[in-house]
Amino acid sequence: MAGSRIERHGARVLLLDGEGRLLLVRGHDPHDAERSFWFTPGGGLEEAESFLEAAVRELAEETGYVLEPHELVGPVWRRTAVFDFASRPYTQHEEIFVGLLADAERRARAEASLTEDEHEALDEFAWLTQAQVANEAREVFPEVLRESWDWFVAWDGVTRELGVNPE
């Protein structure tokens, strides 16, 4: 039924390089091209897939960075994101993991395999510092990335609940 909320589960990755920069994706809503925002790589779980398996798969599909499950830590965050995209309302229950790449610029990458919708909506991938994210004029999801990254860079093993985040 048109307008009914899509509820799904998703996994995201906070991918850091050896310089402490975070890989973010800049995209836009195809039904509102003026609205541009930054977010972490990731997406919805496929049938019978764990959050960790989805995080690894989505990272490889969107960015070409292929990590093994043991190379991710977390989940460092759990959250529920409530948002509209392409004129459809979503509720996505997410787990967010951290991955570290010592030298991201030289690490071998596979070919990204973006879907047609991702080709349309994703504009750029960029390694950004915490200061750049904190001062970014565009929206950033999750918004808490504008704050200190110290706690997830040196994660203490405690998953933090971000609750429901309207975007």
Side-chain angles (χ1 to χ4, degrees):
M1 169 165 88
S4 62
R5 184 159 294 281
I6 299 164
E7 189 151 346
R8 67 183 200 165
H9 291 86
R12 305 199 102 34
V13 178
L14 302 167
L15 189 63
L16 295 158
D17 72 2
E19 296 176 31
R21 298 175 303 172
L22 182 66
L23 181 64
L24 289 177
V25 182
R26 186 175 59 79
H28 67 277
D29 187 322
H31 291 188
D32 183 4
E34 297 298 313
R35 183 177 177 224
S36 180
F37 44 87
W38 290 99
F39 58 97
T40 58
L45 273 65
E46 294 180 351
E47 190 173 330
E49 188 175 46
S50 72
F51 284 94
L52 181 58
E53 291 166 337
V56 168
R57 177 185 52 75
E58 285 285 343
L59 182 67
E61 287 177 1
E62 290 184 356
T63 71
Y65 288 112
V66 178
L67 298 181
E68 297 297 322
H70 71 271
E71 293 181 282
L72 295 180
V73 297
V76 298
W77 281 326
R78 282 192 187 94
R79 75 176 191 147
T80 298
V82 178
F83 58 95
D84 288 340
F85 185 75
S87 302
R88 299 189 69 192
Y90 288 85
T91 298
Q92 181 161 289
H93 307 284
E94 297 178 336
E95 289 191 356
I96 303 173
F97 298 85
V98 173
L100 302 173
L101 292 178
D103 191 349
E105 298 305 320
R106 287 191 236 170
R107 179 153 178 151
R109 292 174 63 188
E111 178 87 20
S113 56
L114 300 175
T115 66
E116 185 177 322
D117 289 342
E118 289 169 334
H119 274 292
E120 181 180 359
L122 305 184
D123 301 316
E124 86 177 284
F125 293 81
W127 292 98
L128 302 176
T129 66
Q130 194 281 321
Q132 288 172 311
V133 174
N135 294 307
E136 175 57 48
R138 292 178 184 90
E139 294 173 280
V140 175
F141 299 115
E143 179 72 22
V144 71
L145 288 175
R146 292 184 187 276
E147 300 170 12
S148 173
W149 297 351
D150 292 346
W151 73 269
F152 69 77
V153 170
W155 186 53
D156 61 6
V158 176
T159 301
R160 292 181 171 64
E161 300 287 339
L162 292 182
V164 176
N165 298 80
E167 300 188 343

